[in-house]
Amino acid sequence: MNQRPARRPAPRPPEGTPAPAELARMARSGLAGAARVARWADTALGPGSDGATADGKATLSEASAERASGDLGLTLAQVRADWDTARLAGLVEVHGDSARPGWRLRAWDRDDSAVLRGWVALFDAWSLAHPEPAEFEAAAVAEVVSAMPQVLSFLQLSAGPVPVEQLLDLLRQRVTELRTERCEVPYETETGIGGGSGSAVPVAALSHARTDLVDRAPADDPAPAEDAELAPLLDWSLHALASVGALTYGGGQATLTPLGSWAVWVKLEQICVAAQSPAGNIEVAAEEMLRGCAQLRPNAARAEYRAWLAARPVGSAVAELVAAARGEDALLRGLAFEALRVVGAPAEPDVRAVVDEPTLRPYALLWLAEHDGVDPEDAHEVLTREEATWLWVDTAAAVADHGEAPLLVRHLESALQPTVPALLDEVRAVGHPRTVQVLVALAAAHPDPALAKAVRRAAFQVHTGG
């Protein structure tokens, strides 16, 4: 009874994978130019420095780029390319028209894990690091970007050079399947393919869950992907992945680098862990995934979030999480923002967009404060008294719906107000839609009869509009 359950042994990377320290050395080497430009910007453009811009913001204007070119002995094109790489790797964080050093830059020389996470962030953004030519259609580019994870997983499993013709054949098959899934899976279906809300169950790119479809007229078949349209897109994709150091490409062959092979293996392992987890969340919508993570410990939940995010495009994943946060379940609201913390910088625009929504505002303000570098223990200071009280009620609603009575009583101790009467006055004033239910649950849970009576009276007054 007192023995802890055996933990799943930490998976080992494929034989021949360099040690983490060696992988970090490779990543530092590949990102040396980006780190140099980021450090230059921190020193030359940071607020309070002799070379700070007039507005005190670390912006890379045309004048700043020219200064960097002169100071570092680089061309303007090199400066801008290294700056963009620094942004994608998290060495520089941009907020509106200002920028500041990312936390990874501070830890760059001493923390191998920070370096590897920065390189993986760049690897994830390969299509941004090397934008597609203007003549490519956006829809075709999106299809290829969605299909490339399977190509990468094939390269990783091959553990050696793979002819481009073989990759093109694989890409054609996957793009055709994506078109079939897009045409076939209806928003409302009785076949069990759709989710509970009527939307199609998302398909994890790396796990490649195939949907078998029946009873279709041949005339409805989507046009198969043609080599003529995919060959130049594959060429662009492989060049882009080579530009971030994920693979080598030449002589009609492509081979993953040690860093690229390791990164693909990590993502495949995340998905395998999620598929074997009690939540089984790899193929479910955000709301169901969050419910599956509700009973997990924080570290285990974060691992689930990372695996779920790895299996879908960041933009659509963030949109799903925000939609789940807008629901009526306060527990899912809090968990959604925990998952958004795992997303990090790519979620910032969506989080800023919901700051004016009363239901999400306190969560969004805390997220943004922590993203801006505020210590999580001090982040609550960005909230007004009313916002903090609203958040207290919302959290209490989550505890009342999903927790036990002692948890709700302990939650009372976390209120900002020094006395229960002061708390009740402010709780009634903020107008949270769950106020009555929270107060009734608190009155039923609290062991002090006098306090419970006062809380019940407050709940009755709110109910009757008093």
Side-chain angles (χ1 to χ4, degrees):
M1 290 293 291
N2 294 327
Q3 291 181 346
R4 293 184 178 181
R7 292 186 176 182
R8 180 179 183 264
R12 294 185 177 183
E15 185 177 353
T17 301
E22 178 63 16
L23 290 170
R25 187 196 64 77
M26 296 176 184
R28 283 190 181 95
S29 176
L31 294 171
R36 180 173 54 170
V37 168
R39 288 195 177 100
W40 175 88
D42 184 24
T43 302
L45 303 180
S49 64
D50 294 337
T53 52
D55 59 3
K57 297 178 178 178
T59 54
L60 193 70
S61 61
E62 188 68 30
S64 298
E66 291 176 357
R67 283 188 55 200
S69 175
D71 292 348
L72 300 175
L74 302 172
T75 66
L76 283 175
Q78 288 174 317
V79 169
R80 294 202 176 279
D82 287 341
W83 176 260
D84 290 340
T85 299
R87 290 179 58 185
L88 294 173
L91 296 171
V92 172
E93 296 177 359
V94 177
H95 303 269
D97 62 350
S98 66
R100 66 164 182 270
W103 69 269
R104 287 181 184 135
L105 183 64
R106 303 300 190 207
W108 197 249
D109 294 327
R110 55 180 170 79
D111 189 341
D112 289 347
S113 65
V115 174
L116 291 175
R117 288 162 72 180
W119 186 85
V120 170
L122 176 64
F123 168 69
D124 287 339
W126 62 267
S127 61
L128 301 178
H130 189 81
E132 72 277 5
E135 63 267 20
F136 292 161
E137 293 185 4
V141 171
E143 287 178 337
V144 170
V145 170
S146 298
M148 281 307 292
Q150 188 180 353
V151 174
L152 288 169
S153 65
F154 180 76
L155 279 167
Q156 198 274 336
L157 293 171
S158 299
V162 177
V164 173
E165 292 81 2
Q166 193 171 357
L167 297 179
L168 181 60
D169 182 62
L170 178 64
L171 179 65
R172 183 184 68 251
Q173 293 179 43
R174 182 60 183 142
V175 169
T176 299
E177 289 168 355
L178 288 172
R179 292 177 181 177
T180 300
E181 291 162 358
R182 187 170 62 247
C183 292
E184 270 298 311
V185 180
Y187 285 101
E188 294 182 1
T189 177
E190 297 178 357
T191 63
I193 297 176
S197 62
S199 61
V201 176
V203 178
L206 287 173
S207 61
H208 184 206
R210 182 194 299 267
T211 302
D212 293 324
L213 303 168
V214 296
D215 297 332
R216 278 179 82 239
D220 292 335
D221 287 336
E226 299 292 342
D227 289 353
E229 65 172 323
L230 293 181
L233 284 167
L234 176 62
D235 182 69
W236 160 71
S237 301
L238 295 176
H239 274 111
L241 287 159
S243 73
V244 301
L247 52 79
T248 58
Y249 176 39
Q253 293 181 327
T255 309
L256 284 180
T257 63
L259 271 173
S261 179
W262 168 80
V264 175
W265 172 80
V266 167
K267 292 183 178 296
L268 285 168
E269 180 62 25
Q270 288 175 342
I271 290 175
C272 290
V273 170
Q276 296 168 6
S277 71
N281 58 33
I282 196 61
E283 286 290 342
V284 301
E287 183 173 335
E288 187 176 346
M289 180 272 293
L290 294 173
R291 291 190 190 281
C293 293
Q295 303 301 321
L296 299 179
R297 293 181 180 274
N299 285 341
R302 280 190 288 271
E304 297 284 340
Y305 302 150
R306 282 192 292 269
W308 185 85
L309 291 164
R312 49 197 32 83
V314 174
S316 61
V318 170
E320 275 197 64
L321 291 171
V322 171
R326 288 193 177 104
E328 296 182 359
D329 194 326
L331 177 64
L332 297 191
R333 191 156 29 253
L335 293 177
F337 275 87
E338 287 299 319
L340 290 170
R341 285 178 174 86
V342 174
V343 176
E348 183 186 2
D350 295 82
V351 174
R352 289 195 182 279
V354 302
V355 165
D356 293 330
E357 297 184 26
T359 304
L360 304 183
R361 179 175 175 80
Y363 294 94
L365 291 176
L366 290 176
W367 189 99
L368 291 169
E370 294 176 25
H371 179 65
D372 289 342
V374 177
D375 191 299
E377 293 184 359
D378 301 326
H380 67 277
E381 296 177 3
V382 304
L383 303 180
T384 65
R385 183 72 164 233
E386 292 76 13
E387 290 163 351
T389 302
W390 196 100
L391 182 60
W392 184 90
V393 178
D394 205 51
T395 308
V399 176
D401 289 343
H402 301 279
E404 298 177 355
L407 291 177
L408 192 58
V409 174
R410 285 203 295 272
H411 185 62
L412 181 62
E413 301 171 0
S414 69
L416 294 175
Q417 293 75 8
T419 65
V420 171
L423 170 65
L424 295 177
D425 287 341
E426 295 189 32
V427 164
R428 286 183 293 191
V430 296
H432 193 288
R434 296 291 305 280
T435 298
V436 172
Q437 294 94 324
V438 165
L439 293 179
V440 169
L442 180 59
H446 207 283
D448 186 335
L451 189 146
K453 182 177 180 180
V455 174
R456 277 195 299 272
R457 185 185 304 114
F460 179 75
Q461 290 171 345
V462 174
H463 178 66
T464 57

